[in-house]
Amino acid sequence: MSDPDRASAVFSLDLSDDVVQMRDWLHEFAASVIRPAAAEWDEREEMPWPVLEEAAKAGLYSLDFYAQQYLEGSGLGIPVAFEELFWGDAGIGLALAGSSLAAVAVVANGTPEQVGEWCPQMFGGPGDLKLGAFCSSEPEAGSDVGAIRTRAVYDAAADEWVLNGVKTWATNGGIANVHVVVASVDPSLRSRGQASFIVPPGTAGLSMGQKFRKHGIRASHTAEIVLSDVRVPGRCLVGGRERLEERLARVREGGHGGEQAAMKTFEASRPGVAAMAVGVARAAVEYAAEYSRTRVQFGRPIGQNQGVAFMLADMAASVDAARLLTWRAAWMARQGKPFTRAEGSMSKLVAGETAVRVTEQAIQILGGNGYTRDYPVERWHRDAKIFTIFEGTSEIQRMIVGRAVTGLDVR
């Protein structure tokens, strides 16, 4: 085989047989279990524990499932899984996936011992469900991660870290068994002086503040957590004290401290979040297309009108483009390729804005029906908006991409 032939044979968008089987299995679960429950739990604005229990029995809500997908060789296991879950419903999907962000924070930054001890406690099993929560944002520190005020002070005599502060917008916050909290160790260094801490189940001083009543993703629990003299063992510093001290020393000497813990977690998770948005957007396109084939006006299906058909064409193309950007970023991350052009942020930016736009267009195609809660596109539009806000707003993603494109310190 010549070199050009060999190069062309390497490139493929075909999913492996294992990923295809997982996708089809998960799609069936989403269609038969998640979708029928979606409207009820959206209205109730409560954690859908019965659905989580069914998912645990099926092996979906488990550390083993998420670990298999994160370790899948192509990097596409998690994006494919999240797209199917969120095609089913974004609120329930986030209830099922929320613990994985806390697990990613430990896997990405922690020691093997920490991963082995704490990640299983974020999922549990059938009849004994558990949750994990990643807590980074604060009332005065959302996009500005460097403004985090939660403090972590080391008590050498007890070999404990003492945490004080308030976290907000925490998925599973206050009801999780294991909380992973980003705190400032040296405020003078801003984001470079931060670290993540594992707060074990039942730790005194951690309590839930207000639970948020949200516009969308209402089946997912979101709340504040309050940390008042929370003491955690020294071994609960994610990555260990020796690594932290080495990093802080480099920064204080003017060197590069490496990736900040919260940012490393968000960067690792962005293609997964983009895939969630793709799932919501795909659901809207499929539903609107089917509606256009069956809804008759002026003696013919509305899909025969160019105004509707062209809108659907743009919607479908946008979803496919967002998926391809997402798969590229996920593949690069799994292969250890650096995001030199902010490919992770690019995928989330495009997928999030695509989800908002196409769900709104789906409502337009359904007309008055689309504006009612009798049809799911109204809920999907409410759900979609979060993807331009959480884990880095669209504006922050544009800033990151802009810096990569221009090479300038865009602010």
Side-chain angles (χ1 to χ4, degrees), residues 117-311:
E117 179 176 4
W118 299 111
C119 288
Q121 297 187 53
M122 299 179 188
F123 294 92
D128 185 29
L129 298 178
K130 299 184 185 301
L131 301 172
F134 180 68
C135 310
S136 177
S137 294
E138 297 184 2
E140 303 301 324
S143 296
D144 184 7
V145 175
I148 283 176
R149 295 181 180 177
T150 296
R151 284 298 312 276
V153 178
Y154 185 60
D155 180 349
D159 186 26
E160 292 179 334
W161 290 89
V162 184
L163 308 179
N164 283 282
V166 176
K167 293 294 181 180
T168 193
W169 308 120
T171 299
N172 298 338
I175 65 171
N177 301 84
V178 179
H179 292 76
V180 180
V181 177
V182 179
S184 176
V185 176
D186 185 343
S188 68
L189 301 178
R190 287 180 58 81
S191 64
R192 295 183 299 170
Q194 295 170 1
S196 295
F197 298 85
I198 297 164
V199 182
T203 300
L206 185 149
S207 60
M208 186 174 79
Q210 67 168 315
K211 176 187 174 184
F212 294 104
R213 301 184 64 192
K214 304 188 297 293
H215 177 65
I217 56 168
R218 301 198 304 192
S220 172
H221 175 95
T222 310
E224 287 183 334
I225 66 163
V226 179
L227 302 135
S228 180
D229 290 331
V230 172
R231 287 181 167 267
V232 300
R235 64 186 176 84
C236 288
L237 166 61
V238 177
R241 189 157 177 258
E242 182 178 348
R243 188 192 301 177
L244 172 65
E245 293 297 341
E246 290 175 354
R247 175 166 62 84
L248 294 179
R250 287 197 303 271
V251 173
R252 289 166 183 151
E253 292 171 0
H256 180 62
E259 294 179 274
Q260 188 268 345
M263 289 298 95
K264 188 174 180 182
T265 300
F266 288 139
E267 192 63 16
S269 68
R270 276 177 184 144
V273 176
M276 298 173 183
V278 171
V280 176
R282 185 186 114 212
V285 173
E286 291 176 359
Y287 196 94
E290 177 61 25
Y291 187 88
S292 77
R293 290 189 285 268
T294 58
R295 174 67 169 170
V296 175
Q297 291 286 278
F298 303 105
R300 62 182 182 182
I302 62 172
Q304 284 188 286
N305 298 313
Q306 286 188 1
V308 174
F310 286 6
M311 189 184 303

Side-chain angles (χ1 to χ4, degrees), residues 107-121:
V107 170
N109 304 292
T111 66
E113 293 77 15
Q114 289 171 332
V115 173
E117 179 176 4
W118 299 111
C119 288
Q121 297 187 53

